[in-house]
Coordinates of all heavy atoms in Angstrom, one line a residue:
E23 N 218.2 -2.4 -182.1 CA 217.0 -2.1 -181.4 C 216.9 -2.8 -180.1 O 216.7 -4.0 -180.0 CB 215.8 -2.5 -182.3 CG 214.4 -2.0 -181.7 CD 213.3 -2.3 -182.7 OE1 213.4 -3.0 -183.6 OE2 212.2 -1.7 -182.4
I24 N 217.2 -2.1 -179.0 CA 217.3 -2.7 -177.7 C 216.0 -2.9 -177.0 O 215.8 -3.7 -176.1 CB 218.3 -2.0 -176.8 CG1 217.9 -0.6 -176.6 CG2 219.7 -2.1 -177.3 CD1 218.7 0.1 -175.5
R25 N 215.0 -2.1 -177.3 CA 213.6 -2.2 -176.9 C 212.8 -1.7 -178.1 O 213.3 -1.1 -179.0 CB 213.3 -1.3 -175.7 CG 214.0 -1.7 -174.4 CD 213.0 -2.5 -173.6 NE 213.7 -3.0 -172.5 CZ 213.3 -2.9 -171.2 NH1 212.2 -2.2 -171.0 NH2 214.0 -3.4 -170.3
A26 N 211.5 -2.0 -178.0 CA 210.6 -1.5 -179.1 C 210.7 0.0 -179.3 O 210.5 0.7 -178.4 CB 209.2 -1.9 -178.8
G27 N 211.2 0.4 -180.5 CA 211.4 1.8 -180.9 C 212.6 2.5 -180.3 O 212.7 3.7 -180.4
V28 N 213.5 1.8 -179.6 CA 214.7 2.4 -179.0 C 215.9 1.8 -179.7 O 216.2 0.6 -179.7 CB 214.8 2.1 -177.5 CG1 216.1 2.7 -176.9 CG2 213.6 2.6 -176.8
Y29 N 216.7 2.6 -180.5 CA 217.8 2.2 -181.3 C 219.1 2.9 -180.8 O 219.1 4.1 -180.4 CB 217.6 2.6 -182.7 CG 216.4 2.0 -183.3 CD1 215.1 2.6 -183.2 CD2 216.4 0.8 -184.1 CE1 214.0 2.0 -183.7 CE2 215.3 0.2 -184.6 CZ 214.1 0.8 -184.4 OH 213.0 0.3 -185.0
I30 N 220.2 2.1 -180.7 CA 221.5 2.6 -180.3 C 222.6 2.3 -181.3 O 222.4 1.3 -182.0 CB 221.9 2.2 -178.8 CG1 222.1 0.7 -178.8 CG2 220.8 2.6 -177.8 CD1 222.7 0.2 -177.6
G31 N 223.6 3.1 -181.3 CA 224.7 2.9 -182.1 C 225.8 3.9 -181.8 O 225.6 4.8 -181.1
S32 N 226.9 3.7 -182.5 CA 228.0 4.7 -182.4 C 228.6 5.0 -183.8 O 229.2 4.1 -184.4 CB 229.1 4.1 -181.5 OG 230.1 5.0 -181.2
Y33 N 228.3 6.2 -184.2 CA 228.7 6.6 -185.6 C 229.3 8.0 -185.6 O 229.0 8.8 -184.6 CB 227.5 6.5 -186.5 CG 227.1 5.1 -186.9 CD1 226.0 4.6 -186.3 CD2 227.8 4.4 -187.8 CE1 225.6 3.3 -186.6 CE2 227.4 3.1 -188.1 CZ 226.3 2.5 -187.5 OH 225.9 1.3 -187.8
S34 N 229.9 8.4 -186.6 CA 230.4 9.7 -186.8 C 229.3 10.7 -187.0 O 228.1 10.3 -187.2 CB 231.3 9.8 -188.0 OG 230.6 9.6 -189.2
R35 N 229.6 12.0 -186.9 CA 228.6 13.0 -187.0 C 228.0 12.9 -188.4 O 226.8 13.1 -188.5 CB 229.3 14.4 -186.9 CG 228.3 15.6 -187.1 CD 229.0 16.9 -187.1 NE 230.0 17.0 -188.2 CZ 229.8 17.3 -189.5 NH1 228.6 17.5 -189.9 NH2 230.8 17.4 -190.3
R36 N 228.7 12.7 -189.4 CA 228.2 12.6 -190.8 C 227.2 11.5 -191.0 O 226.1 11.7 -191.5 CB 229.4 12.4 -191.8 CG 228.9 12.4 -193.2 CD 230.1 12.2 -194.1 NE 230.0 12.9 -195.3 CZ 230.9 13.1 -196.2 NH1 232.1 12.6 -196.0 NH2 230.6 13.7 -197.3
V37 N 227.5 10.3 -190.5 CA 226.6 9.2 -190.5 C 225.3 9.5 -189.7 O 224.2 9.2 -190.1 CB 227.3 7.9 -190.1 CG1 226.3 6.7 -190.1 CG2 228.4 7.6 -191.1
R38 N 225.5 10.0 -188.5 CA 224.4 10.3 -187.6 C 223.5 11.3 -188.3 O 222.2 11.1 -188.3 CB 225.0 11.0 -186.3 CG 223.9 11.3 -185.3 CD 224.4 12.0 -184.1 NE 224.9 13.4 -184.4 CZ 226.1 13.8 -184.2 NH1 227.0 13.1 -183.6 NH2 226.4 15.1 -184.5
E39 N 224.0 12.3 -189.0 CA 223.1 13.2 -189.7 C 222.4 12.6 -190.9 O 221.2 12.9 -191.1 CB 224.0 14.4 -190.2 CG 224.4 15.3 -189.1 CD 225.4 16.4 -189.5 OE1 225.8 16.4 -190.7 OE2 225.7 17.2 -188.7
R40 N 223.0 11.6 -191.6 CA 222.4 10.9 -192.7 C 221.2 10.0 -192.1 O 220.2 9.9 -192.7 CB 223.4 10.1 -193.4 CG 224.5 10.8 -194.1 CD 224.1 11.8 -195.2 NE 223.7 11.3 -196.5 CZ 224.5 10.8 -197.4 NH1 225.8 10.6 -197.2 NH2 224.0 10.5 -198.6
I41 N 221.5 9.4 -191.0 CA 220.4 8.5 -190.4 C 219.3 9.5 -190.0 O 218.1 9.1 -190.2 CB 221.0 7.8 -189.2 CG1 222.0 6.7 -189.6 CG2 219.9 7.1 -188.3 CD1 222.8 6.0 -188.5
W42 N 219.6 10.6 -189.4 CA 218.5 11.5 -189.0 C 217.7 12.0 -190.2 O 216.5 12.2 -190.1 CB 219.0 12.7 -188.2 CG 217.9 13.5 -187.6 CD1 217.6 14.8 -187.9 CD2 217.0 13.1 -186.6 NE1 216.5 15.2 -187.2 CE2 216.1 14.2 -186.4 CE3 216.7 12.0 -185.8 CZ2 215.0 14.2 -185.5 CZ3 215.7 11.9 -185.0 CH2 214.9 13.0 -184.8
E43 N 218.3 12.2 -191.3 CA 217.6 12.6 -192.5 C 216.6 11.6 -192.9 O 215.5 11.9 -193.4 CB 218.6 12.8 -193.7 CG 219.4 14.1 -193.6 CD 220.6 14.2 -194.6 OE1 220.6 13.3 -195.5 OE2 221.3 15.1 -194.5
Q44 N 216.9 10.3 -192.7 CA 216.0 9.2 -193.0 C 214.8 9.2 -192.1 O 213.7 9.0 -192.5 CB 216.7 7.8 -192.9 CG 217.8 7.6 -193.9 CD 217.2 7.5 -195.3 OE1 216.5 6.5 -195.6 NE2 217.6 8.3 -196.2
V45 N 215.1 9.5 -190.8 CA 214.0 9.6 -189.8 C 213.1 10.8 -190.2 O 211.9 10.6 -190.2 CB 214.6 9.9 -188.4 CG1 213.4 10.2 -187.4 CG2 215.4 8.7 -187.9
E46 N 213.6 11.9 -190.6 CA 212.8 13.1 -191.0 C 212.0 12.8 -192.2 O 210.8 13.2 -192.3 CB 213.7 14.3 -191.2 CG 214.3 14.9 -190.0 CD 215.3 16.0 -190.4 OE1 216.0 16.0 -191.4 OE2 215.3 17.0 -189.6
E47 N 212.5 12.0 -193.1 CA 211.8 11.7 -194.4 C 210.7 10.7 -194.2 O 209.7 10.8 -194.8 CB 212.8 11.2 -195.4 CG 212.2 10.9 -196.8 CD 213.2 10.5 -197.8 OE1 214.5 10.7 -197.6 OE2 212.8 9.9 -198.8
F48 N 210.9 9.8 -193.3 CA 210.0 8.7 -193.2 C 209.1 8.6 -191.9 O 208.3 7.7 -191.8 CB 210.7 7.3 -193.4 CG 211.3 7.1 -194.7 CD1 212.6 7.3 -194.9 CD2 210.5 6.8 -195.8 CE1 213.2 7.1 -196.2 CE2 211.0 6.7 -197.1 CZ 212.4 6.8 -197.3
I49 N 209.2 9.6 -191.1 CA 208.5 9.5 -189.8 C 207.0 9.6 -189.9 O 206.2 9.2 -189.1 CB 209.0 10.6 -188.8 CG1 208.6 10.2 -187.4 CG2 208.7 12.0 -189.1 CD1 209.0 8.9 -186.8
D50 N 206.5 10.3 -191.0 CA 205.0 10.4 -191.2 C 204.4 11.1 -190.0 O 204.7 12.2 -189.6 CB 204.4 9.1 -191.6 CG 204.9 8.6 -193.0 OD1 205.4 9.4 -193.8 OD2 204.7 7.4 -193.2
D51 N 203.4 10.4 -189.4 CA 202.6 11.0 -188.3 C 203.2 10.6 -186.9 O 202.7 11.0 -185.9 CB 201.2 10.5 -188.3 CG 200.4 11.0 -189.5 OD1 200.7 12.1 -190.0 OD2 199.5 10.3 -190.0
G52 N 204.4 9.9 -186.9 CA 205.0 9.5 -185.7 C 205.9 10.7 -185.1 O 205.8 11.8 -185.6
D53 N 206.6 10.4 -184.1 CA 207.6 11.4 -183.6 C 208.8 10.6 -183.2 O 208.8 9.4 -183.0 CB 207.0 12.1 -182.4 CG 206.6 11.2 -181.2 OD1 207.5 11.0 -180.4 OD2 205.5 10.7 -181.1
A54 N 209.9 11.4 -183.1 CA 211.2 10.8 -182.8 C 212.1 11.8 -182.0 O 211.9 13.0 -182.2 CB 211.9 10.3 -184.1
V55 N 213.0 11.2 -181.3 CA 214.1 12.0 -180.7 C 215.4 11.3 -180.9 O 215.4 10.1 -180.9 CB 213.8 12.3 -179.2 CG1 213.7 11.0 -178.4 CG2 214.8 13.2 -178.6
M56 N 216.4 12.1 -181.1 CA 217.8 11.5 -181.2 C 218.7 12.3 -180.3 O 218.7 13.5 -180.3 CB 218.3 11.6 -182.6 CG 219.8 11.0 -182.8 SD 220.4 11.0 -184.4 CE 220.6 12.7 -184.8
T57 N 219.5 11.5 -179.5 CA 220.5 12.2 -178.7 C 221.9 11.5 -178.9 O 221.9 10.4 -179.4 CB 220.1 12.0 -177.2 OG1 221.0 12.8 -176.4 CG2 220.1 10.6 -176.7
W58 N 222.9 12.3 -178.7 CA 224.3 11.8 -178.9 C 225.3 12.6 -178.0 O 224.9 13.6 -177.5 CB 224.7 12.0 -180.4 CG 224.7 13.5 -180.8 CD1 225.8 14.3 -180.8 CD2 223.6 14.3 -181.3 NE1 225.4 15.5 -181.3 CE2 224.1 15.5 -181.6 CE3 222.3 14.0 -181.5 CZ2 223.3 16.6 -182.0 CZ3 221.5 15.0 -181.9 CH2 222.0 16.3 -182.2
D59 N 226.4 12.0 -177.8 CA 227.5 12.6 -177.1 C 227.9 13.9 -177.8 O 228.0 13.9 -179.0 CB 228.7 11.7 -177.0 CG 228.5 10.4 -176.2 OD1 227.7 10.5 -175.3 OD2 229.1 9.4 -176.5
S60 N 228.1 14.9 -177.0 CA 228.5 16.2 -177.6 C 229.3 17.0 -176.6 O 229.1 16.9 -175.4 CB 227.2 17.0 -177.9 OG 227.5 18.3 -178.5
P61 N 230.3 17.8 -177.0 CA 231.1 18.5 -176.1 C 230.5 19.8 -175.6 O 231.0 20.9 -175.7 CB 232.4 18.9 -177.0 CG 231.8 19.0 -178.4 CD 230.7 17.9 -178.4
T62 N 229.3 19.6 -175.0 CA 228.6 20.7 -174.4 C 228.7 20.6 -172.9 O 229.2 19.6 -172.4 CB 227.1 20.7 -174.8 OG1 226.5 19.5 -174.3 CG2 226.9 20.8 -176.3
D63 N 228.2 21.6 -172.2 CA 228.2 21.5 -170.7 C 227.4 20.3 -170.2 O 227.7 19.7 -169.2 CB 227.6 22.8 -170.1 CG 228.5 24.0 -170.2 OD1 229.7 23.8 -170.4 OD2 228.0 25.1 -170.1
Q64 N 226.4 19.9 -170.9 CA 225.6 18.8 -170.5 C 226.2 17.5 -170.9 O 225.9 16.4 -170.4 CB 224.2 18.8 -171.2 CG 223.3 20.0 -170.6 CD 222.0 20.1 -171.4 OE1 222.1 20.5 -172.5 NE2 220.9 19.9 -170.7
G65 N 227.1 17.5 -171.9 CA 227.7 16.3 -172.4 C 227.0 15.5 -173.5 O 227.4 14.5 -174.0
Y66 N 225.9 16.1 -173.9 CA 225.0 15.5 -175.0 C 224.2 16.6 -175.6 O 224.1 17.7 -175.1 CB 224.1 14.4 -174.4 CG 223.1 15.0 -173.4 CD1 221.9 15.5 -173.8 CD2 223.4 15.0 -172.0 CE1 221.0 16.0 -172.9 CE2 222.5 15.5 -171.1 CZ 221.3 16.0 -171.5 OH 220.4 16.5 -170.6
D67 N 223.7 16.3 -176.8 CA 222.7 17.2 -177.5 C 221.6 16.3 -178.0 O 221.7 15.1 -178.0 CB 223.5 17.9 -178.6 CG 222.7 19.1 -179.1 OD1 221.6 19.4 -178.5 OD2 223.2 19.8 -179.9
F68 N 220.5 16.9 -178.4 CA 219.4 16.1 -179.0 C 218.6 16.9 -179.9 O 218.6 18.2 -179.9 CB 218.6 15.5 -177.9 CG 217.8 16.5 -177.0 CD1 216.5 16.9 -177.3 CD2 218.4 17.1 -175.9 CE1 215.9 17.8 -176.5 CE2 217.8 18.0 -175.1 CZ 216.5 18.3 -175.4
V69 N 217.9 16.2 -180.8 CA 216.9 16.9 -181.7 C 215.6 16.0 -181.7 O 215.6 14.9 -181.3 CB 217.4 16.9 -183.2 CG1 218.6 17.9 -183.3 CG2 217.8 15.5 -183.7
T70 N 214.5 16.7 -182.0 CA 213.2 16.0 -182.0 C 212.5 16.3 -183.3 O 212.8 17.3 -184.0 CB 212.3 16.4 -180.9 OG1 212.0 17.8 -181.0 CG2 213.0 16.2 -179.5
I71 N 211.5 15.5 -183.7 CA 210.7 15.7 -184.8 C 209.3 15.1 -184.5 O 209.2 14.1 -183.8 CB 211.3 15.2 -186.1 CG1 210.4 15.6 -187.3 CG2 211.4 13.7 -186.1 CD1 211.1 15.4 -188.7
G72 N 208.2 15.8 -185.0 CA 206.9 15.2 -184.8 C 206.2 15.8 -183.6 O 206.8 16.6 -182.8

Side-chain angles (χ1 to χ4, degrees):
E23 187 174 15
I24 59 171
R25 291 267 171 124
V28 180
Y29 300 86
I30 64 169
S32 186
Y33 289 101
S34 68
R35 178 188 58 83
R36 182 181 214 171
V37 174
R38 181 182 71 235
E39 289 172 354
R40 299 296 286 285
I41 292 171
W42 187 248
E43 287 171 5
Q44 295 291 299
V45 172
E46 291 176 323
E47 183 176 345
F48 294 106
I49 195 64
D50 293 341
D51 293 329
D53 63 88
V55 61
M56 178 176 66
T57 186
W58 63 92
D59 294 330
S60 180
T62 64
D63 287 341
Q64 291 172 295
Y66 61 89
D67 200 358
F68 64 95
V69 292
T70 64
I71 189 169

